[in-house]
């Protein structure tokens, strides 16, 4: 009965406790907010799909945007597109390949050299690789991009977020964009080194595992930040079923048929970006951390395994220590 009620609520777009629901758009959930000046948000995957809509709406609301892009030319085209709608927006396009550890470190070094604050980090970029592909670091592409890249990015930028929160007195926010597909991940197959090497590759499994890892990452970092009384929150969001750029990597007759049949369930890009924008900016979520959100309301996520989250963080931390040949502490790489 509960599941049926939730399905009906989703289809009808009925609002939840937040006052918003599945039919709400990114513009609607941010429309009447009174935001403090000089907010800065870094949004990965902001050149297309949900990421672009998130960047567009936040820029419209006066938030300074940091737009990482593998293709800087395309990133600048997106910047110009946003500026046509919001001429006063401040947007920085910086080169970043999330599948490359060296690229992430170079990006962070350059961003930090700009001396800008960082209030909001939105780990939005996602990859769905139909065939097995390895990164330059010899890791499976989907898991390395969706989880490992965002793990490193978050670690390196945390000190800047802590500094910004302390100087401004405003709580920082980190958002990990996950997916309902995280529920498909098999706990028995969830081992970091196997997922990074992926000898027996399955595209859907790799994607599901990476999205579960995003949730576990949020839960563990939330716990660590709370223990240290750091004024930064981190939450995971599920944007809903949206036909975004990820589907281009899995395009075909079967996929097109599924999306045609399921068209009533699909969200627009603006509806898909609504939860991210809500969690990033809503004053109602002050102090809320380690939670999952769907349709702009708190939801239950499968990744409620404290021990599993801790083990994943420890193994990732150890891996990066060896890989980068440097000492990695929580929130800093030296």
């Amino acid at each position: 009965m509960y599941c049926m009620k939730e399905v009906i609520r989703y289809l009808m777009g009925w609002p939840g406790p937040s006052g918003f629901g599945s039919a709400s758009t990114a513009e609607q959930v941010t429309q009447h907010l009174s935001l403090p000046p000089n907010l800065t948000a870094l949004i990965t995957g902001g050149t297309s799909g949900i990421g672009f809509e998130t960047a567009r709406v936040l820029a419209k609301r006066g938030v300074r945007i940091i737009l990482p892009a593998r293709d800087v030319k395309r990133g600048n085209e997106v910047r110009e597109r946003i500026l046509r709608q919001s001429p006063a927006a401040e947007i920085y396009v910086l080169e970043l390949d999330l599948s490359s550890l060296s690229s992430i470190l170079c990006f962070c070094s350059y961003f930090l050299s700009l001396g800008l604050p960082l209030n909001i980090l939105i780990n939005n970029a996602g990859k769905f690789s139909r065939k097995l592909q390895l990164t330059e670091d010899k890791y499976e592409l989907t898991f390395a991009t969706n989880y490992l890249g965002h793990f490193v990015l978050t670690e390196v930028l945390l000190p800047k977020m802590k500094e910004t929160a302390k100087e401004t007195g405003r709580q920082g926010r980190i958002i990990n964009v996950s997916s309902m597909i995280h529920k498909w991940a098999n706990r028995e197959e969830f081992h970091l080194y196997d997922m990074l090497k992926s000898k027996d590759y399955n595209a859907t499994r790799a994607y599901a595992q990476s999205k579960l890892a995003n949730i576990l990452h949020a839960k563990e970092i939330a716990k660590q930040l709370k223990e240290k009384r750091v004024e930064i929150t981190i939450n995971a969001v599920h944007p809903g079923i949206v036909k975004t750029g990820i589907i281009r990597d899995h395009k075909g007759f079967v996929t097109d048929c599924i999306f045609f049949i399921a068209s009533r369930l699909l969200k627009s890009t603006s509806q898909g970006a609504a939860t991210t924008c809500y969690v990033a900016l809503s004053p109602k979520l002050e102090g809320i951390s380690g939670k999952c959100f769907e349709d702009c309301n708190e939801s239950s996520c499968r990744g409620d395994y404290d021990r599993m989250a801790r083990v994943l963080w420890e193994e990732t931390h150890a891996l990066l220590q060896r890989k980068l040949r440097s000492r990695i502490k929580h929130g800093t790489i030296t």
Side-chain angles (χ1 to χ4, degrees), residues 77-120:
E77 290 171 352
V78 168
R79 177 179 180 274
E80 292 304 315
R81 185 178 167 189
I82 295 174
L83 287 174
R84 283 196 292 270
Q85 298 182 23
S86 304
E90 189 176 350
I91 305 169
Y92 293 77
V93 177
L94 306 179
E95 186 174 4
L96 171 63
D97 179 356
L98 271 171
S99 71
S100 164
L101 296 179
S102 63
S103 177
I104 296 168
L105 296 181
C106 287
F107 166 85
C108 290
S109 178
Y110 184 72
F111 168 71
L112 294 173
S113 75
L114 298 176
L116 295 170
L118 184 59
N119 306 90
I120 303 165

Side-chain angles (χ1 to χ4, degrees), residues 124-154:
N124 166 82
K127 180 68 178 176
F128 185 104
S129 181
R130 186 170 58 86
K131 296 180 180 180
L132 174 61
Q133 298 183 64
L134 299 180
T135 68
E136 64 181 40
D137 301 297
K138 307 303 180 186
Y139 298 137
E140 188 279 309
L141 181 62
T142 295
F143 195 83
T145 302
N146 297 355
Y147 167 68
L148 189 64
H150 283 126
F151 182 101
V152 177
L153 186 71
T154 302

Side-chain angles (χ1 to χ4, degrees), residues 231-248:
E231 285 298 304
I232 299 173
T233 63
I234 177 169
N235 293 290
V237 304
H238 164 41
I241 309 171
V242 187
K243 191 170 185 179
T244 65
I246 281 182
I247 304 303
R248 286 197 299 267

Side-chain angles (χ1 to χ4, degrees), residues 38-46 51 54-55 58 63-69 94 96 98 104 107-108 111-112 116-125 145-162 164-165 170-178 214 217-218 221-222 225 231-237 275-281 288-289 291 330-332:
N38 204 35
L39 285 181
T40 301
L42 192 157
I43 306 166
T44 67
T54 300
L58 264 58
V63 179
R64 179 189 294 114
I65 303 297
I66 309 300
L67 201 64
L94 306 179
L96 171 63
L98 271 171
I104 296 168
F107 166 85
C108 290
F111 168 71
L112 294 173
L116 295 170
L118 184 59
N119 306 90
I120 303 165
L121 172 60
I122 301 177
N123 293 320
N124 166 82
T145 302
N146 297 355
Y147 167 68
L148 189 64
H150 283 126
F151 182 101
V152 177
L153 186 71
T154 302
E155 288 290 304
V156 182
L157 294 181
L158 262 174
K160 170 55 70 173
M161 295 194 71
K162 293 176 184 177
T164 301
R170 294 195 293 265
Q171 195 172 66
R173 295 189 183 186
I174 303 171
I175 295 95
N176 282 0
V177 178
S178 183
N214 290 150
H217 177 228
I221 298 300
L225 292 172
E231 285 298 304
I232 299 173
T233 63
I234 177 169
N235 293 290
V237 304
T275 303
T276 300
C277 291
Y278 175 78
V279 176
L281 297 180
I288 303 299
S289 193
K291 305 297 183 181
H330 179 60
T332 184

